[in-house]
Amino acid sequence: MNKYLVIGNPIAHSLSPVLHNYWFKKHSFLDSIYEKKEVEKKDLKKIVEQIKNDEIKGVNVTVPFKREIFDFIDSAPHEVQFTKSVNTLVKENNKVVGYNTDQEGFKISLEENDWNFKNKKVFIIGAGGVTPSILSSFIRLGGAEKIYLSNRTRSKAEELKKIWDKALGIYQMKKDTIEILDWEEKSELCDLIINTTSVGLKKDEKLNFDFSDYNNKKEALFYDLIYNPKETNFLKDARKRGNKTMNGKMMFLWQAHLAFKMWTGVSPIIDEEVIKLLD
Ligand code: ATR
């Protein structure tokens, strides 16, 4: 039996097993199974060893261990060494390699809606666990013109800016691309406004930014990484203003798709049925 895991804490609500087991069945990997496992920080080293010993074939890592697992892996591609955020573990040439498919998954989710990063102004709200991957997507994979960053705890946004300012030159981007705004401060009108915070996971939660100017920029896209609930207040308000909206479902699907492909060599199907699994 080939065993796969998603590890995190808490993990009860993860939909990754439903998705991967659907794909295993669909693509006739009848000897493969994907399970969720709640772990503590002290368990991370053993999980990596189990991959090395072939007891586990592949692992997805979710909050709060995407950063911590980095200390236990054998190697990682350049972009992961930068963000130190890992969501997929794969054994390659006897080494456990840590990848991050969130970055690429995010990019594909926009591109399949014909949205290109080039010369776009973006406003990123939040500086939590997933934000480095989003920033990396905009810088490494796309070349955004301007990136505003705002987090309730300003120092965390500043920390991210410090790391990424050093990388801007490598990607032919201007020194002042990233600008920190105070929490709930207005930015100039942007093309994409993205919520990377956890505000909205509970139905009555709401960000208190004033987005009323976007009444005059209907084509602006409001993207919430949350996909459950399907429509957070952030997205509901944007829809009412007539702006474009998108939730995090397709990013989640694509990051899973990319991990599945790394483990099996097969590009798993993304169809209506698989999209419904996440409802
Ligand atoms: P995780 O990595 O598990 O997603 P996290 O790293 O704590 O969790 O990130 C959560 C993000 O949501 C952070 O940007 C957090 O802001 P702080 O850095 O100030 O904590 C943000 N967040 C969570 N609850 C919030 C709230 N009530 N108001 C504003 N921002 C909030």
Side-chain angles (χ1 to χ4, degrees):
M1 202 56 147
N2 292 323
K3 189 173 165 181
Y4 296 83
L5 283 182
V6 56
I7 57 167
N9 196 341
I11 199 67
H13 299 295
S14 172
L15 291 172
S16 293
V18 174
L19 196 53
H20 286 280
N21 286 325
Y22 171 85
W23 281 329
F24 282 142
K25 208 167 151 199
K26 193 97 184 168
H27 295 282
S28 303
F29 289 93
L30 301 179
D31 58 347
S32 296
I33 185 156
Y34 187 111
E35 293 169 343
K36 52 189 160 194
K37 189 175 166 82
E38 186 170 297
V39 298
E40 309 289 334
K41 193 174 170 181
K42 64 173 173 48
D43 303 322
L44 298 180
K45 190 167 180 242
K46 186 164 175 224
I47 297 274
V48 173
E49 279 167 10
Q50 285 179 303
I51 298 175
K52 228 175 225 173
N53 302 336
D54 299 317
E55 286 170 56
I56 305 173
K57 190 95 191 284
V59 170
N60 279 138
V61 183
T62 187
V63 287
F65 300 123
K66 288 184 182 185
R67 167 64 193 85
E68 272 102 336
I69 197 79
F70 183 84
D71 299 334
F72 300 102
I73 56 176
D74 298 317
S75 73
H78 174 258
E79 73 277 10
V80 170
Q81 289 175 30
F82 228 88
T83 58
K84 296 192 167 57
S85 173
V86 170
N87 80 333
T88 303
L89 303 179
V90 186
K91 185 177 166 185
E92 290 173 359
N93 303 322
N94 238 13
K95 287 187 168 162
V96 177
V97 186
Y99 289 95
N100 186 312
T101 61
D102 290 333
Q103 295 185 31
E104 188 73 16
F106 176 65
K107 185 175 179 248
I108 298 173
S109 75
L110 285 171
E111 282 175 347
E112 66 179 358
N113 282 298
D114 293 327
W115 206 91
N116 188 298
F117 286 69
K118 269 260 168 306
N119 304 323
K120 291 289 190 323
K121 290 180 180 166
V122 302
F123 183 15
I124 301 176
I125 302 170
V130 70
T131 318
S133 299
I134 302 301
L135 254 177
S136 177
S137 281
F138 283 126
I139 295 169
R140 202 176 59 84
L141 305 170
E145 183 186 316
K146 185 82 192 177
I147 300 172
Y148 294 100
L149 189 57
S150 178
N151 191 49
R152 178 180 60 178
T153 310
R154 188 182 164 109
S155 58
K156 279 162 77 178
E158 278 165 353
E159 196 58 38
L160 277 181
K161 175 173 159 58
K162 209 162 91 189
I163 294 168
W164 282 100
D165 274 352
K166 288 186 207 139
L168 292 173
I170 304 170
Y171 300 104
Q172 285 88 44
M173 294 175 75
K174 287 180 288 174
K175 268 198 312 221
D176 58 353
T177 300
I178 305 173
E179 190 174 326
I180 308 285
L181 298 178
D182 281 337
W183 185 239
E184 292 168 3
E185 184 185 345
K186 265 193 193 179
S187 77
E188 68 169 314
L189 284 178
C190 289
D191 302 288
L192 171 66
I193 304 89
I194 174 159
N195 176 34
T196 73
T197 75
S198 49
V199 180
L201 279 173
K202 296 191 195 113
K203 271 216 150 64
D204 51 350
E205 283 177 334
K206 197 176 164 108
L207 291 166
N208 286 318
F209 284 79
D210 176 6
F211 293 123
S212 55
D213 292 351
Y214 285 91
N215 279 312
N216 302 319
K217 192 176 166 83
K218 302 283 189 213
E219 70 279 18
L221 172 62
F222 283 70
Y223 191 142
D224 201 322
L225 295 188
I226 295 171
Y227 62 89
N228 185 14
K230 268 192 222 171
E231 191 180 58
T232 56
N233 288 318
F234 174 74
L235 294 187
K236 191 193 251 172
D237 291 348
R239 176 172 56 79
K240 285 186 186 157
R241 277 192 304 272
N243 299 128
K244 292 185 185 163
T245 62
M246 203 172 147
N247 72 18
K249 191 189 213 177
M250 292 315 292
M251 174 182 168
F252 179 74
L253 265 173
W254 279 110
Q255 64 75 30
H257 174 103
L258 294 163
F260 190 97
K261 191 172 171 199
M262 273 184 210
W263 293 327
T264 65
V266 168
S267 274
I269 188 164
I270 292 192
D271 58 5
E272 284 305 315
E273 204 179 334
V274 101
I275 291 171
K276 272 206 198 105
L277 285 177
L278 303 183
D279 282 343

